[in-house]
Amino acid sequence: MNETMVCAVGRVATQPVYREMASGPSARFRMAVTARYWDREKNTWTDGHTNFFTVWANRQLATNTAASLTVGEPVIVQGRLKVRTDVREGQSWTSADIDAVAIGHDLAWGTSAFRRAGKAETAPASAQPEPNWETVPEGSAESGDARAQHPPEAVLLT
């Protein structure tokens, strides 16, 4: 299927709204994307037109979006562009939505700390216990070695 994929770089304009739907979690927020250009006459950067997009996120992306984004933060959104035209009360309205595939902070403006989202699944029990890698098995070539008698010193990495 042919779809228009876009990558928009801008700022979060509204606080993300999170909803639990029958089909799974959903979140939406408005994003402002302002064009900037160098004005040679004024010798300064100038803001151009601002476009607003409604960004939609689903499932785990919705949960992570609601937990991670606040108004004013710089973001990068990649997704499918949906342009809709509607007639309301006799007036024609056009809206541009992005069905997000990926959302992240724009690190050109600051730092971000990634935390993997926890999963509710449990790890399968191991049939054999995990071997202790800190001890050398007796009878091995290294058991009489000086390294086995003097463990390495701890090193602090900064």
Side-chain angles (χ1 to χ4, degrees):
M1 178 186 300
N2 293 332
E3 296 178 301
T4 305
M5 296 296 288
V6 295
C7 182
V9 179
R11 299 222 174 228
V12 177
T14 62
Q15 188 62 33
V17 176
Y18 179 82
R19 299 275 191 261
E20 283 287 343
M21 311 291 278
S23 59
S26 179
R28 68 173 163 77
F29 66 93
R30 298 277 288 163
M31 176 182 186
V33 178
T34 303
R36 292 195 63 148
Y37 63 93
W38 181 256
D39 188 339
R40 290 183 182 177
E41 293 175 9
K42 296 178 183 176
N43 202 28
T44 184
W45 285 99
T46 304
D47 288 341
H49 178 74
T50 300
N51 291 305
F52 288 91
F53 298 95
T54 300
V55 179
W56 294 90
N58 296 303
R59 294 176 291 284
Q60 189 64 46
L61 182 58
T63 304
N64 295 342
T65 295
S68 301
L69 299 182
T70 59
V71 174
E73 291 182 340
V75 292
I76 300 173
V77 175
Q78 181 183 13
R80 291 176 284 281
L81 179 65
K82 308 283 184 180
V83 178
R84 294 180 175 87
T85 304
D86 190 19
V87 177
R88 298 181 206 158
E89 301 173 6
Q91 290 188 357
S92 179
W93 290 82
T94 301
S95 66
D97 297 352
I98 299 175
D99 185 13
V101 174
I103 300 172
H105 286 111
D106 184 354
L107 298 182
W109 295 95
T111 63
S112 184
F114 178 80
R115 290 180 308 274
R116 185 172 298 277
K119 292 187 179 182
E121 66 184 75
T122 59
S126 171
Q128 294 181 327
E130 182 70 21
N132 184 354
W133 297 107
E134 299 299 319
T135 61
V136 179
E138 288 189 35
S140 72
E142 293 183 3
S143 63
D145 193 351
R147 287 178 289 173
Q149 296 171 2
H150 301 287
E153 295 180 23
V155 178
L156 178 62
L157 297 176
T158 57

